[in-house]
Amino acid sequence: MSFHTQQLALVLSVMIGATAAAVMPTAALAQAGDDEGRAVLYWYDPMVPQQKFDKPGKSPFMDMELVPRYADEGSDGASMKIDPSVTQNLGIRLATAVRESISQSLEATGALLFDERDVAVVQARAGGFVERVYDRAPEDVIDKGAPLADLLIPEWAAAQEEYLALRDVGEPQLLAAARQRLRLAGMPADVIAQLQRSGKTRAVWTVTSPIAGVLSSLDVREGMTVPAGASLARINGLNTVWLEVAVPEAQVGHLAQGQKVTARLPAFAGESLEGTIQAVLPQANLDSRTVRVRVELPNPQQRLRPGMTAQVTLNRDVEQALVIPSEAVIRTGRRALVMLAEDEGRYRPVEVRIGREFDDRTEILEGLEAGQKVVASGQFLLDSEASLRGLTAQSLEQPRSSFESALHEAEGTIVGLEDGMVGLSHGPFKTLNMPGMTMAFPVADPSLTSGLQSGDRVRVGVRETDEGLIIERIVKLGGQP
């Protein structure tokens, strides 16, 4: 517990002490309490409440007397009871955990890129020579069918002559075989159709763009010799463009393909463009801790150009979530806690697993149920007092069956037996990190105390429960259980 938290605990204790039930009596009041027969659980230093002592005296940490913790001071081992007047004086305010329909919007920035699925690569269909290159350059925007270069392909001339010679023979099978050789030589279908119509051979092939878009590369020059399969040009289509958005990795869990996106570009002020998430890319950026989300935007007028920037709103799907006010969550650094308000003015710390935060609310994934009330104001004072009283929240990662299965053992001397309670002056419970002290324990079964009396030396086994430590096994040393 930090020094600041300890000070808060003292403030709470002082305020509670000003009411009907004091929770931090002075040494003098402690002595009076002892005279009245109140059971003392242990003594402690309010500035170091986690350290417990089995007898009164001077604190080894501060120049002050140790303070007793009584068994009847409003703590049942799992929760603590605070007087209603104290909660009112502290300004404690409660909030209810509720299920709400939430729809979050995430703002991010992105940049336009080419749609890498809308790409055409033009290659030489046969070996030849470049006779002409049309007036084109990289980054030009061209139409579908725009000429790029003229190639002289000598191989095609001989194949065309053979086809025309067989056309007049009247042998359909031979003519079909000649047409197949034209296709195997790499001649496009439109060139073959033109040969059939005109009856004239043509060895020069005009290479054209198969799609409209941006000429990203043109790799031919006049006089070049190109082999079959050589790359001549690359064209990126512009009918759609990609918008890649950098999204914090903590926010991508609820984004999926097909979700709607709104984009606003500085180039078109006042306009909003609608798109859809095409993919959430698999690799995160280690430096910025972001994940790229690919959005597809239609571009029928080809106004959107790669390199432009955009402000993007990603709309998450509407869903139900259990939420509480964010101010009710106590973050310790290792886990998140809330102070749960129960009936009859009782409070207890509960560990929760939190999810998304939006506006002034926090999503609760585990640890609470709808309708339960938590402390939204003053919870740090109550948490400090809970720590002072030794109340701890059970870890979410520790199954209850495992929690209840541990049996902790120590030796001690019985100092009293009454109404199912055993007063025990015991040594340390090492597995609980609990020092030796004198305190009263309830027993799980009254028959466990049969044959026992004050002064007997015993070995006990206690189990942690929501009600505190309970004796489940007791053996008289030198005798039988």
Side-chain angles (χ1 to χ4, degrees):
M1 182 185 299
S2 68
F3 179 79
H4 180 64
T5 304
Q6 294 162 3
Q7 293 296 325
L8 291 176
L10 287 173
V11 172
L12 177 63
S13 298
V14 169
M15 296 190 70
I16 295 176
T19 63
V23 298
M24 190 179 292
T26 64
L29 291 178
Q31 183 63 44
D34 292 339
D35 293 341
E36 296 170 4
R38 297 174 67 189
V40 177
L41 298 177
Y42 55 86
W43 282 261
Y44 66 96
D45 183 337
M47 300 303 292
V48 191
Q50 64 271 21
Q51 182 67 49
K52 302 174 182 178
F53 300 89
D54 60 354
K55 59 184 178 180
K58 274 281 190 179
S59 168
F61 309 107
M62 306 290 291
D63 185 18
M64 62 184 296
E65 294 290 330
L66 295 176
V67 176
R69 170 62 65 195
Y70 293 109
D72 59 355
E73 286 185 345
S75 174
D76 61 3
S79 62
M80 60 182 179
K81 186 174 183 178
I82 305 296
D83 189 275
S85 62
V86 176
T87 61
Q88 183 176 4
N89 292 335
L90 293 176
I92 289 177
R93 177 167 46 85
L94 303 183
T96 304
V98 296
R99 288 200 171 274
E100 295 182 356
S101 296
I102 60 172
S103 178
Q104 277 190 276
S105 295
L106 173 66
E107 297 289 335
T109 58
L112 297 183
L113 303 173
F114 284 114
D115 183 346
E116 292 297 330
R117 291 191 174 91
D118 188 12
V119 176
V121 177
V122 180
Q123 294 179 304
R125 302 176 70 92
F129 309 95
V130 180
E131 286 199 335
R132 177 185 177 186
V133 176
Y134 289 83
D135 188 17
R136 309 288 182 200
E139 304 299 329
D140 283 351
V141 178
I142 59 177
D143 296 326
K144 180 179 180 180
L148 302 175
D150 289 341
L151 299 186
L152 173 62
I153 305 177
E155 179 185 352
W156 287 5
Q160 291 179 66
E161 290 288 354
E162 179 184 5
Y163 175 80
L164 293 177
L166 290 173
R167 189 177 63 171
D168 300 329
V169 173
E171 292 289 341
Q173 293 182 344
L174 294 177
L175 187 61
R179 186 182 299 108
Q180 181 67 14
R181 282 192 290 275
L182 292 176
R183 287 195 293 268
L184 294 176
M187 192 174 296
D190 59 332
V191 176
I192 296 175
Q194 185 180 13
L195 174 64
Q196 291 174 331
R197 289 194 304 268
S198 65
K200 296 179 180 180
T201 62
R202 182 182 176 186
V204 176
W205 171 44
T206 299
V207 180
T208 60
S209 173
I211 64 171
V214 177
L215 182 63
S216 54
S217 65
L218 183 63
D219 302 322
V220 293
R221 296 293 182 267
E222 289 187 11
M224 288 178 59
T225 299
V226 294
S231 178
L232 307 178
R234 177 186 172 96
I235 301 97
N236 286 100
L238 285 174
N239 289 331
T240 59
V241 294
W242 284 348
L243 173 60
E244 283 203 356
V245 186
V247 177
E249 61 181 359
Q251 304 288 341
V252 300
H254 298 274
L255 298 178
Q257 183 177 1
Q259 285 184 226
K260 297 298 181 183
V261 171
T262 302
R264 296 172 297 280
L265 281 72
F268 309 110
E271 294 187 36
S272 295
L273 305 177
E274 299 296 328
T276 56
I277 294 179
Q278 195 271 331
V280 178
L281 301 185
Q283 186 171 2
N285 186 301
L286 294 177
D287 297 325
S288 62
R289 307 311 306 164
T290 58
V291 175
R292 291 177 298 151
V293 175
R294 180 181 294 162
V295 177
E296 188 173 87
L297 295 176
N299 189 27
Q301 300 176 356
Q302 298 187 354
R303 296 188 305 163
L304 306 180
R305 302 299 173 87
M308 290 181 173
T309 59
Q311 187 68 27
V312 185
T313 301
L314 298 99
N315 299 312
R316 295 177 175 175
D317 292 339
V318 177
E319 57 186 72
Q320 290 284 322
L322 182 66
V323 299
I324 62 173
S326 297
E327 62 181 338
V329 181
I330 303 171
R331 292 172 172 83
T332 68
R334 295 185 298 109
R335 56 181 183 168
L337 304 174
V338 297
M339 290 302 299
L340 184 65
E342 300 179 323
D343 296 336
E344 300 179 353
R346 291 193 172 275
Y347 303 88
R348 64 184 174 95
V350 174
E351 181 178 358
V352 293
R353 187 160 63 91
I354 61 176
R356 296 163 291 173
E357 295 187 29
F358 45 94
D359 299 331
D360 58 350
R361 296 170 296 170
T362 296
E363 180 184 16
I364 302 299
L365 303 177
E366 187 178 356
L368 286 179
E369 297 180 357
Q372 289 184 307
K373 293 186 179 297
V374 296
V375 179
S377 177
Q379 67 274 23
F380 289 98
L381 291 173
L382 294 181
D383 181 56
S384 300
E385 180 65 15
S387 178
L388 193 66
R389 299 190 184 193
L391 302 182
T392 58
Q394 181 183 343
S395 172
L396 291 173
E397 299 179 357
Q398 183 180 28
R400 183 168 295 273
S401 59
S402 169
F403 177 74
E404 294 178 346
S405 64
L407 197 65
H408 311 277
E409 295 189 343
E411 294 183 4
T413 301
I414 296 177
V415 296
L417 294 168
E418 184 178 357
D419 297 331
M421 300 289 291
V422 175
L424 188 67
S425 176
H426 63 80
F429 286 92
K430 295 181 179 180
T431 54
L432 285 172
N433 291 322
M434 181 177 176
M437 64 182 71
T438 300
M439 62 182 295
F441 293 90
V443 292
D445 186 348
S447 65
L448 293 174
T449 61
S450 177
L452 298 177
Q453 58 185 357
S454 295
D456 286 345
R457 288 285 297 172
V458 293
R459 183 172 185 83
V460 297
V462 300
R463 193 182 308 278
E464 289 183 296
T465 70
D466 289 340
E467 288 74 35
L469 297 176
I470 296 180
I471 294 178
E472 291 199 355
R473 188 166 61 123
I474 184 167
V475 178
K476 185 176 179 180
L477 295 180
Q480 300 296 323

